[in-house]
Amino acid sequence: MTEWIDVCGADDLQPDSGICALVEGRQVAIFYLPKEKALFAVGNYDPIGRANVLSRGMIGDLSGQPVVASPLYKQHFNLETGVCVEDAAVSVPVYPIRIENGRVEVGVGG
Amino acid sequence: MSTKQTIVVIGNGMVGQNFLAGLVSSGKHTDYDIVTFCEEPRAAYDRVHLSSFFSGKTAEDLSLVEEGFFERSGITLHLGDKAAHIDRAAKTVTSAKGAIIDYDKLVLATGSYPFVPPVPGHERPHCFVYRTIEDLEAITASAKDGKVGVVIGGGLLGLEAAKALTDLGLETHVVEFAPRLMAVQLDEAGGAMLRQKIEALGVAVHTGKNTSVIKDGDGCRHKMCFADGTELETDLILFSAGIRPRDELARASGLEMGPRGGIAIDNQCRTSDPDIYAIGECALWNGMIYGLVAPGYAMARTVVADLTGGEGSFTGADMSTKLKLMGVDVASIGDAHAKTPGAMVYTYQNGASEVYKRLVVSQDRKKLLGAVLVGDASGYGTLLQYCLNGIDLPENPDALILPSRSDESVGLGPDALPMSATICSCYNVTKGDICQSIDGGCTTIAGLKAETKASTGCGGCAALLKSVLNSELAKHGYEVNTDLCEHFPYTRQDLYNLIMVKQIRTFDELLEKYGKGRGCDICKPAVGSILSSYWNDYILKNEHVGLQDTNDTFLANMQKDGTYSVVPRITGGEIKPDMLIALGQVAKNYQLYTKITGGQRVDLFGARVDQLPSIWKDLIDAGFESGHAYGKSLRTVKSCVGSTWCRYGVDDSVGLAIELENRYKGLRSPHKLKFAVSGCTRECAEAQGKDVGVIATETGWNLYVCGNGGMKPRHADLFATGLDKETLIQLIDRFLIFYVRTADRLQRTSVWMENMEGGLDYLKSVIIDDRLGICEQLEQQMKYVIDTYQCEWKTTINDETRLKRFRHFINSDAQDDNVLFVEERGQFRPALENERKHFKLNVETEKETVTGEVE
Ligand code: SRM
Ligand SMILES: Cc1cc2nc3c(=O)[nH]c(=O)nc-3n(C[C@H](O)[C@H](O)[C@H](O)COP(=O)(O)OP(=O)(O)OC[C@H]3O[C@@H](n4cnc5c(N)ncnc54)[C@H](O)[C@@H]3O)c2cc1C
Ligand code: SF4
Ligand code: FES
């Protein structure tokens, strides 16, 4: 069972950019693309740069897949699968995310 | 005793060295003992680029000898020793210092000397020639306390020397005996157009002048008296009246000479003694002395072939030339004077844009025999190929010189060239050679240069080389892609123009109209930078915020552990004690690691994202502002203490540095920009290693551009001299905006310059002579940027909604538990991996933190 945890208001989201939320001890990077009304949540820890920084990376797409670029060494992580574009052996966790009644919720467990 | 044969080479100039290098790369050099005499105090250097000595190149930069070349290849170099005598019967060479060497084969590569007409007074002090590095050093020293300089001789070299004199800050005159400039290469109309252009650059040209005597001047060192009764006063005289072969040794040993000098050689470059060769400017082939380096190299290759059992012969060389003389394009191809019987001539002259072109074609109008181009030599490559390869001309040959008014293209594509076509005449590289390299996997200009040496000589073939590469790559199915990234099929420069012309204000608008997808970390910051250079909006405006790298978003540089550094601006490196104390106090309050940077300011490290606003608030309250260390923008203007304190200081370098830093701070550019100002030529601020460098001199400020430290250091080029402050700033304004408009993303000014077609002279013609007529626009844009400057940090701390971003968690005041500090030398620094283990807080994966399964 996915448990939905309330993290912040929808107006706390940064358009075309990221924020970080603390979700039951996990650091979760949340990205928001207002034009396509898309929301993504992945782990904030960059396993290559070894620091909690992914929420501060730039987002965009590579060959159509939505990605975040690490601000440290610029590797890209697929926002849907968490897999690193440059090295498929490396990945970050991905989390379900939704907006309910103007609140942003991240799913854990399940 | 060695049983090997001995080769002695007399003269280690451009051609002598090219011969040695050719022999070594043939691998056959080990068959011989090789000895070379070099009269000059240094081994071979690039005489062709001698003038770049004045723009900061050193003797080392000009060297043509790779480090360790002689040692590695076992060649004995007699440096600073002149061959004084050849005994052909005994087969020995005796040197001035007394060395006697037996030879089996002798190569004469003694070059030529500048001819000085025997005008009475020609031996006075401050009369020079232009051939060696020592000549240039003497000219520089003499120019220091002179005001006027005269070049005698209006040929190629004379005009190049005239440019050097203007660069040295002298009022410059060219005195020519013939009725026009460059009489050998140009026809009358071409010469007249060139004169008009050169005079417009402030050089006085006197043609038809015969100097009868040089004596003491009244106001200057010399007075030159001409046969027509006129006079000219000058401090310095440079003779450039042609060259004469250095054939004295050969003559004394009884070798056959030409009637007017020169060592006669056959197609194998052998002299009248079959064991003696002559190559380069001392050699006379078929009644011709070639005063260019490419024919000399061809001779050197011939002799290498002859000695190593290869095939080769010298059967003459093309004397076509293309140059930029004082920023003016000049080219001459083949039979420029239409001496071939029946030759037909087409001319095109445009008085308004000062362009002159002349085509000489065969009687049947099928073949191109020669051409003259002044003011616009862009057609040189194409015309030369028509001429050299005997390619059939189009039906209306004049289309080749008329300005193209429609889309029809008359240029000769690289595909039309035969494989045998010479692309680079300096190194005799054919289209075939280049294609072979490309087939072998070489796909870049840099790679081709390294493999084939094409375009590493005079550089005249660069454009052609590039077009051959692109066309071959296209044929191999490679996409020659200059797109910024997958989202925009445009170069940075295209995007800049689109934004400017279509007045686009946001990334989304640009993406919608000209791109696709969502953008990425390549195009977003590039477009963000263009938008801010052009519109200079606050970079954290909603529509721009997603375009910035984290450094720009948080107005600070991210460090390896995710914390940030804080760098306030300290203009010119000058700081009041109270400010220094305030800075120290802030560092102390927040326990920031403090370090003096290489850019003369202070960097505070280890700030958490949530601390940045309050740190900056404290700094701003103390009177600091953002140092833009995070932006692709002006970093620092380094200064030396200058005339304020230094006993050698010529002008106030600190004052100027502060003024420049305040003027250009915040300007967003393709890459970071660094400046420096030195108070005298001792150059303690290292201005010649900066994008923009300024050095004070007695006659005003000297401006240098496009220097770089970093990964590939580059000396800056001297751009303009003796400037007053107003002109200096005007030139820098123009230079910066032109760079901002035309450079590629993340291209420092040094690389931008290296890739610029036409190089320094072109840049000067745009920025100083306003060749494109855009200088006013450039200045206006700079004015706009300066007028709209804001300290981004000041704007940010006063904006509640912006401050929301400066926290680690949106939903908690907790801090990032992965940030750990360790004390070292009395300050804090990030913990190392093994130190983290020690803290038992290893955050290897998300899961472990959550479940608390810590080792
Ligand atoms: C702090 C400092 C080193 C120091 O402790 O002294 C420094 C630190 C960094 N330099 Fe530097 N450079 C510093 C002076 C220099 C200098 C010396 C100078 O400016 O006189 C140079 C050589 C001069 C030059 O640029 O031509 C220099 C050449 C580089 C380069 C290579 C640039 C190149 O064109 O090859 C990089 C890499 C880049 O920009 O791509 C670089 C990049 C960096 C980065 C931004 C690396 C990074 O991405 O993290 C470092 C950021 C530090 C920070 O967070 O503030 N840094 N760096 C110096 C800051 C000066 C300042 O006050 O702003
Ligand atoms: C300022 C300048 C610009 C030029 N620009 C161009 C250009 O754009 N394009 C181009 O093609 N050409 C150009 N040239 C010409 C080019 O430099 C020459 O063609 C080339 O250097 C000829 O090479 P070389 O080896 O024959 O002569 P050099 O390079 O002069 O070498 C001859 C060497 O032999 C030494 N020597 C002479 N006698 C003795 C002896 N008895 N014992 C020992 N050593 C001896 C001399 O000291 C000298 O070092 C330029 C020349 C100058 C000066
Ligand atoms: S030299 Fe390298 S390590 Fe040192 S500051 Fe510059 S970029 Fe960082
Ligand atoms: S023609 Fe001189 S470098 Fe190629």
Side-chain angles (χ1 to χ4, degrees), chain B residues 469-490:
Chain B
L469 174 65
N470 286 350
S471 116
E472 288 305 306
L473 287 181
K475 271 192 251 162
H476 282 64
Y478 287 105
E479 220 171 303
V480 184
N481 194 336
T482 54
D483 296 356
L484 188 65
C485 66
E486 64 179 73
H487 305 104
F488 287 99
Y490 297 95

Side-chain angles (χ1 to χ4, degrees), chain B residues 11 13-15 39-40 47 83 110-111 131 157 246 281 292-293:
Chain B
M14 296 191 73
V15 174
E39 170 197 51
E40 294 190 56
R47 228 179 279 290
T110 48
R131 178 97 196 160
L157 260 183
R246 293 194 57 178
E281 287 187 341
L292 293 175
V293 72

Side-chain angles (χ1 to χ4, degrees), chain B residues 420-461:
Chain B
S420 60
T422 304
I423 302 297
C424 172
S425 33
C426 284
Y427 285 96
N428 190 29
V429 186
T430 62
K431 181 177 159 189
D433 298 333
I434 289 163
C435 292
Q436 204 182 338
S437 272
I438 298 172
D439 292 342
C442 187
T443 55
T444 61
I445 291 287
L448 285 176
K449 280 184 170 179
E451 267 190 33
T452 66
K453 295 201 118 183
S455 201
T456 58
C458 69
C461 58

Side-chain angles (χ1 to χ4, degrees), chain B residues 61 93 104 110 160 165 239 243 252 338 356 428 510 552 570 618 625 699 721 740 761 777 785 826:
Chain B
D61 296 333
V93 175
D104 297 286
T110 48
E160 190 170 323
L165 294 190
F239 289 98
I243 54 167
Y356 170 81
N428 190 29
L510 188 72
D552 267 315
I570 299 181
D618 293 357
E625 58 178 359
T699 56
T721 58
V740 164
D761 286 327
Q777 232 186 59
V785 171

Side-chain angles (χ1 to χ4, degrees), chain A residues 4 11-12 15 17 22-23 25-27 30 32 37-38 40 52 56 58 63 68 74 81 92 100 102 110:
Chain A
W4 291 97
D11 52 359
D12 286 326
S17 185
L22 190 59
V23 183
R26 301 168 173 87
Q27 293 202 18
I30 298 171
Y32 174 46
K37 298 218 173 349
F40 300 98
N52 287 312
R56 288 172 261 162
M58 293 185 83
S63 319
V68 56
K74 315 289 170 189
T81 64
V92 295
E100 283 283 306

